[in-house]
Amino acid sequence: MSISSFNRRWATVILEALTRHGVRHVCIAPGSRSTPLTLAAAENRAFIHHTHFDERGLGHLALGLAKASKQPVAVIVTSGTAVANLYPALIEAGLTGEKLILLTADRPPELIDCGANQAIRQPGMFASHPTESLALPRPSQDIPARWLVSAIDNLLGSLHGGAVHINCPFAEPLYGDMDENDLLWLQALGAWWQDDKPWLQAPARLQCEKQRDWFFWRQKRGVIIAGRMSAAEGQQLAHWAKTLGWPLIGDALSQTGQPLPCADLWLGNARAVTELNQAQIILQFGSSLTGKRLLQWQAVCEPQEYWLIDSLPGRLDPAHHRGRRLVSDVAGWLEQHPAEPRAPWYSAVEQLSSQAWERVSAQRDTFGEAQFAHRITAYLPEQGQVFLGNSLVVRLVDALGQLPAGYPVYSNRGASGIDGLLSTAAGVQRASARPTLAIVGDLSALYDLNALALLRQVSAPFVLVVVNNNGGQIFSLLPTPPAEREQFYLMPQHVDFAHAAAMFGLNYHRPENWDALDQAFAGAWSKAGATLIELVVKETDGAQTLQNLLAQVSHL
């Protein structure tokens, strides 16, 4: 029996088993030890293949594909530090629920801990961050194919979210012609090859029970907090809240349309907090809240009941309220718990929100990042989507902007890292084929700069806005020591991105006023391909504008 041939047969079963669990996108990095997996994926016509030379970016590309497709995405990498580079994306998926299947090639056991090249201890290397892990043995005809396929099915059949790690050791040789002698091992699976279902079917669906006392609570004064959810759920929740007559405090990622915009400003006003504290029940849908003032109020509010509804398991409440943790998708929960039409019970909050919006709008003519966040709706592509970077970008949009209800918004707000943001945005675009606006800061763009290579393959207009405020200006909002702030926190790089765009063949603009920015966007949306728009702004203006507005609104 040829070792290289049987390695391929073994990998073929693994990849085919993945198709039975909805995997269509496979992300592949170059490597020799992963050859059996790579070639098995290449031969399987069910897959759409994506490649990238950087495993860290590849993991985030898969993360973006999973976000937009709502389906599990497979990743294939070779052994050694290539595997370790998947860690950031794996962590993010564990916190936000995207399904990633990491297929990591490995040296066989006899090459571990003996000085062999590119051999590290891979089983268990991701600690508690994967939802599940499976350390496969070295391929052997002594192990039935039905064991292998049922092991994969058992791992994936009950996966509700997060990443799974499947470690796949392969002995050499890795290359060679296929051997017909090992076909009998594959054929033992019989009609499974002509089917489209898993070998072992063990679906387990999380279903929240209807809250029998909802008819009682829906007649009370309530507040709704909306965190991360899908576009359709955000739109549905906004209508549900309006029917109830309850205030909805919508995060930028909620896609509810933020009916009370500028929450991060007006929550700093004592009148707003006093009124909200009259609530008898608070319902939070989705997690990963952005606004600092919202998080502060959420931490100290003490209603009679606090319910948190999210499809992810776990507490998801850093304030540890006494109440109910209801594991359910938002749409399903709303259908189970209909709203009863009632008049709004709040007035101060609505008034303060309107006044805050007017204060922000009064400064919209100044060319800066805070004003861009306020104007963001004007730059969204039709039938498109937006990806928001972390740090100051998402906070400004959350505090000063108002995104349309039901408009798709994506972000990496689980671990909230700035690594892999461009790669994730590229994955979101590939999975959806929609026009895409991505907004990141200059340090975030530098962190994932080689992901610009992925933007050469977009299937619809893609605009990457790099807000260049020369460093990590988020630290301007924090009480960092002034003497050490620039060197150890802000870390200004004094770069522009024209050369980076040229290196990867992307269209590039550096507008210096609103008219030039409008023209750059109009041109970018009118043609296929990617455009990098560098928004060079004064270093601390964005943070200072936010702080000034906070002070103004707090005294209204």
Side-chain angles (χ1 to χ4, degrees), residues 52 71 73 97 121 151 204 208 216 223 266 271 297 304 329 338 348 390 396 400 418 452 460 464 517 540:
H52 192 31
Q71 296 295 324
V73 175
R121 293 186 293 275
C208 177
F216 168 78
V223 171
W266 56 256
R271 283 200 296 132
W297 176 73
Q304 296 173 38
D329 65 279
N390 284 320
L396 290 175
L400 310 179
I418 66 169
L452 294 179
L464 170 63
L517 181 63
T540 59

Side-chain angles (χ1 to χ4, degrees), residues 15 51 67 132 169 254 306 348 424 438 495 518 540:
L15 270 298
T51 60
K67 282 179 183 291
E132 297 285 348
S254 70
Y306 195 103
T424 308
V495 298
D518 293 346
T540 59

Side-chain angles (χ1 to χ4, degrees), residues 480-529:
T480 49
E484 290 81 16
R485 183 173 295 155
E486 180 168 326
Q487 181 179 359
F488 295 106
Y489 293 92
L490 302 179
M491 297 188 187
Q493 297 302 304
H494 306 286
V495 298
D496 67 68
F497 289 83
H499 298 294
M503 178 162 59
F504 291 100
L506 308 183
N507 300 310
Y508 174 82
H509 297 278
R510 182 177 169 169
E512 297 183 356
N513 53 57
W514 294 120
D515 288 341
L517 181 63
D518 293 346
Q519 292 174 14
F521 266 105
W525 294 139
S526 67
K527 58 190 175 187

Side-chain angles (χ1 to χ4, degrees), residues 37 64 180 200 266 269 290 313 338 407 477 483:
L37 295 167
E180 299 298 318
L200 180 66
W266 56 256
N269 187 294
T290 300
Y407 194 89
L477 293 174

Side-chain angles (χ1 to χ4, degrees), residues 38 61 136 167 202 216 220 243 251 273 312 336 344 405-406 436 445 452 458 462 477 484 548:
T38 296
L61 177 70
L136 292 176
N167 199 60
F216 168 78
K220 303 297 182 180
T243 303
D251 187 276
V273 172
L312 295 177
Q336 280 187 306
T436 303
L452 294 179
V458 294
F462 187 110
L477 293 174
E484 290 81 16
N548 291 338

Side-chain angles (χ1 to χ4, degrees), residues 154-491:
N154 184 60
L155 186 74
L156 301 181
S158 59
L159 179 63
H160 296 291
V164 297
H165 176 207
I166 304 176
N167 199 60
C168 309
F170 295 106
E172 293 184 353
L174 301 167
Y175 307 95
D177 296 331
M178 298 300 292
D179 188 337
E180 299 298 318
N181 293 328
D182 50 30
L183 269 177
L184 288 175
W185 182 84
L186 280 185
Q187 291 168 352
L189 294 175
W192 178 79
W193 289 103
Q194 287 74 48
D195 201 356
D196 60 358
K197 297 181 179 61
W199 178 274
L200 180 66
Q201 299 184 53
R205 180 173 176 79
L206 293 175
Q207 185 65 45
C208 177
E209 293 184 2
K210 183 177 180 179
Q211 304 304 296
R212 299 297 177 185
D213 54 351
W214 169 242
F215 75 95
F216 168 78
W217 286 109
R218 70 185 182 183
Q219 300 175 54
K220 303 297 182 180
R221 292 187 302 274
V223 171
I224 297 171
I225 299 173
R228 182 184 57 243
M229 63 190 69
S230 73
E233 289 174 335
Q235 202 163 16
Q236 185 178 354
L237 179 61
H239 177 74
W240 189 82
K242 185 176 181 180
T243 303
L244 276 173
W246 292 4
L248 188 157
I249 308 174
D251 187 276
L253 305 186
S254 70
Q255 298 157 98
T256 58
Q258 297 157 285
L260 296 168
C262 304
D264 201 45
L265 299 182
W266 56 256
L267 276 167
N269 187 294
R271 283 200 296 132
V273 172
T274 299
E275 184 170 72
L276 292 176
N277 285 343
Q278 297 175 32
Q280 297 157 297
I281 181 171
I282 294 175
L283 270 59
Q284 179 180 335
F285 294 87
S287 55
S288 299
L289 303 176
T290 300
K292 184 175 182 179
R293 261 58 57 181
L294 175 56
L295 285 166
Q296 289 172 341
W297 176 73
Q298 190 261 1
V300 299
C301 66
E302 294 184 354
Q304 296 173 38
E305 291 275 333
Y306 195 103
W307 298 1
L308 199 159
I309 301 98
D310 194 295
S311 59
L312 295 177
R315 285 178 289 177
L316 304 183
D317 175 16
H320 312 294
H321 288 97
R322 181 179 181 180
R324 306 182 195 182
R325 176 64 185 89
L326 307 171
V327 181
S328 172
D329 65 279
V330 174
W333 198 92
L334 294 178
E335 290 173 4
Q336 280 187 306
H337 302 83
E340 181 180 80
R342 297 178 69 85
W345 65 267
Y346 58 97
S347 58
V349 162
E350 193 165 32
Q351 180 187 40
L352 286 167
S353 173
S354 178
Q355 291 174 331
W357 183 262
E358 290 173 2
R359 293 296 178 105
V360 178
S361 296
Q363 301 188 26
R364 71 192 312 271
D365 291 338
T366 302
F367 189 70
E369 59 185 311
Q371 293 76 16
F372 176 72
H374 177 64
R375 291 168 169 252
I376 186 172
T377 303
Y379 300 110
L380 298 176
E382 291 185 17
Q383 303 298 313
Q385 58 199 356
V386 61
F387 183 93
L388 299 176
N390 284 320
S391 296
L392 192 54
V393 165
V394 69
R395 285 169 173 81
L396 290 175
V397 172
D398 182 71
L400 310 179
Q402 186 178 30
L403 294 164
Y407 194 89
V409 183
Y410 297 94
S411 189
N412 286 350
R413 293 295 295 169
S416 298
I418 66 169
D419 46 350
L421 294 179
L422 304 189
S423 300
T424 308
V428 165
Q429 197 287 316
R430 291 188 183 194
S432 64
R434 287 173 175 250
T436 303
L437 169 62
I439 311 168
V440 301
D442 52 308
L443 292 189
S444 296
L446 287 171
Y447 207 144
D448 200 22
L449 194 64
N450 62 22
L452 294 179
L454 298 171
L455 301 186
R456 294 181 295 193
Q457 303 169 39
V458 294
S459 57
F462 187 110
V463 175
L464 170 63
V465 173
V466 177
V467 180
N468 191 345
N469 52 24
N470 199 25
Q473 296 299 333
I474 183 67
F475 294 107
S476 298
L477 293 174
L478 302 173
T480 49
E484 290 81 16
R485 183 173 295 155
E486 180 168 326
Q487 181 179 359
F488 295 106
Y489 293 92
L490 302 179
M491 297 188 187

